[in-house]
Amino acid sequence: MSDARAEIQDLNSRYAIAFDSGQLDESVGCWVEDGVLDESETGFGLFEGREAIRAFFRDTLMANSTHVVHMMFNHLITSIEGDHGEGRVNCLVEIVKTDGSRSRAHVTYNDRYIRAEGEWKFASRVITSAFPHTVLTG
C-alpha cells in the first residue's frame, strides 16, 4: 500500500508541475479517458472526459494566464482498495493573468484515483474553495 500512496502523491505533483510549465498533454494525461473535473463551485463548470478537460485547460485556464504555480499540501489519502483510491489535497494557486493582474486561490481537491494501465490517474477531482479568492494588486 505504501507504494500506491507514493504513486498517488506523485500523481498530484506530476499534474501541478505539468500544468505550471504549460505542458497541456501531460497535465490532461493525469486523468483517465472518462475522468471528471468538477469546477462548479469555482464557477467554471463540470468537465466530463479527457477531451473536455483538455479544452477547458487550453481555452480558459492556460489561455488567460502567463504564470501559474500550484503549491500542494496536506495531502491525505483516505482509502486505497486495489486499483481505486480516494483522498484530498489542499492547494494554493498563484496566477499572473494575461492582463497583468494577479490572483490567488486556496482550494481543496477532493479526488478519486484509479490505477489504469499500471499508472495512477484521477477518476474525478472536485474542487472546492478552502479560503476566499483573492485578487492581488500591484
Side-chain angles (χ1 to χ4, degrees), residues 43-129:
F44 287 113
L46 176 68
F47 306 93
E48 299 181 81
R50 194 181 287 158
E51 288 312 308
I53 295 168
R54 176 187 310 280
F56 169 59
F57 284 179
R58 180 190 61 229
D59 301 340
T60 302
L61 298 182
M62 290 181 173
N64 293 306
S65 62
T66 60
H67 296 84
V68 179
V69 176
H70 287 79
M71 293 164 273
M72 306 288 204
F73 57 97
N74 294 340
H75 192 178
L76 178 64
I77 299 167
T78 55
S79 72
I80 299 173
E81 295 181 22
D83 290 337
H84 296 83
E86 293 183 6
R88 59 180 277 162
V89 61
N90 288 335
C91 181
L92 178 62
V93 187
E94 298 276 349
I95 305 160
V96 178
K97 297 181 179 180
T98 53
D99 67 4
S101 66
R102 297 170 181 246
S103 67
R104 175 182 295 146
H106 184 182
V107 297
T108 299
Y109 296 134
N110 300 285
D111 296 331
R112 284 188 308 111
Y113 313 108
I114 189 165
R115 188 172 16 217
E117 301 174 12
E119 186 174 49
W120 286 97
K121 295 187 181 278
F122 300 116
S124 71
R125 172 162 267 188
V126 178
I127 300 174
T128 57
S129 294

Side-chain angles (χ1 to χ4, degrees), residues 28-44:
V28 173
C30 291
W31 269 263
V32 292
E33 191 64 40
D34 62 349
V36 173
L37 174 62
D38 187 348
E39 288 245 17
S40 298
E41 185 177 305
T42 64
F44 287 113

